[in-house]
Amino acid sequence: MGSNTLTRFNGPAAPAHPAPGGAGVATVAPLEHARFTGSPQLADVASNGSGVTATAPLEHARFTGSPQLADVALGAAVLGPGSRGDGLRAVQGALLDMGFALYGGADGRYGPDTARALRNFQVHASAAFPAVRTSGVLDTATLRALEGLAPAPGSRGQSRALPSPFYAGQPVRVVVALREHRTFLFDPEGRLLDIFPNAVGTALTPTHPGLKVVRAKLDQVATENAGARLWNDRHVFGARLLDLSWVDGHRSGEELHGTSAPALLGGDVSHGCIRHADEDILVLHDALAVGDRIAVVETLQDPHLGVPVTVG
C-alpha cells in the first residue's frame, strides 16, 4: 500500500513547524516583564487573539518574502474584511492547491469566498493545530497551520494530515469530508490522486455519513436527462453523475455529480447530494467504477477511517 501523498504532482513536501508538546505551532517564550506576566488579557494581546505567541519567521517558499504575511506570522496583523495584497494572494493559491473552494481564484482580495475557504481550512486544521479557530480570517495560528500543511509551490495536495483510504477495514476510492467540504480521490493502491472542493447537504437535507458504493455511472446525456426529469433543468447535475447506494445495497438517494452553480461550492447547499465542479466530476467519473466504495465522513477524525485490517 502506497503512502498518502499526491502522485500526479511533483515537488517536496512543505516543512512542518511542530510546537513543543505536539501543539502544531512553533512558539517563543511568553511575556516575561514583571508588570505584564500573569495577565490573561495581555497574553491574548501578545498572541494577537489567536492563542499563539509571536513566532519565528516564515519558512515555506509560498509565503516567504511577503511583508504582509510576516506581520501576520508575528501577530502584528490579521487579514480579514478589507484586506488585499500579494500575501493574501499566496494564501489563496495555497488553499486552492489544497482542494478548498475559492470561486474567482486567487485575486489577492479578501471577500466572502476567501472567508469560506479559510473557515473550511480551519475546520480541517484544528485537529492537528489546536490553536486554530474557525473564524474565517487569517491570523497567526491559521497561517502557521497553512505553513505546516500546504504543498510546495507548483504542487497540489497536502503535506500531511491526510485521510486513510480505509473505512471500517475496507479499502475506499473516495473519502468525502463533509465539514471541510473536500473530496479525496485515491487510486486502487490507496495513493492519493487529488483533492476536490465539494458542496453538501443543508441542515434540513443533510448528506448522510457512512460507507457507500457507486451504483451507476451516467454520461452527459443521461445526466442531462435526469436533471430534466427530476428538476426540469437539464444542467442542474452538471456534466456527470455517479449514483450511490449504501454498501448493503439499499439506495441512499444521494449522488456525486457536477453543478451548474460553482460559486456555491464549499458550502451546505444541496438536497443531500455531493456537488463538484464539472471539471472535477469528469475526473471522478473516469476514475471510478461501479462497485467502488465511497466513505462519507463528517471529519477526518471519524473513527471508522484507519489503517488496513484483514477482512474475512
Side-chain angles (χ1 to χ4, degrees), residues 10-36:
N10 297 319
H17 298 273
V25 180
T27 61
V28 297
L31 294 170
E32 296 181 1
H33 197 292
R35 287 180 178 268
F36 309 132

Side-chain angles (χ1 to χ4, degrees), residues 169-188:
Q170 300 188 57
V172 298
R173 293 294 311 279
V174 167
V175 173
V176 175
L178 299 175
R179 293 187 191 173
E180 64 187 63
H181 300 96
R182 290 197 295 172
T183 296
F184 299 78
L185 172 65
F186 298 92
D187 71 12

Side-chain angles (χ1 to χ4, degrees), residues 164 166-170 209-211 295-297 300-307:
S164 165
F166 285 82
Y167 184 95
Q170 300 188 57
L211 186 60
V296 180
V297 296
L300 298 187
Q301 286 68 55
D302 188 296
H304 294 93
L305 292 176
V307 296

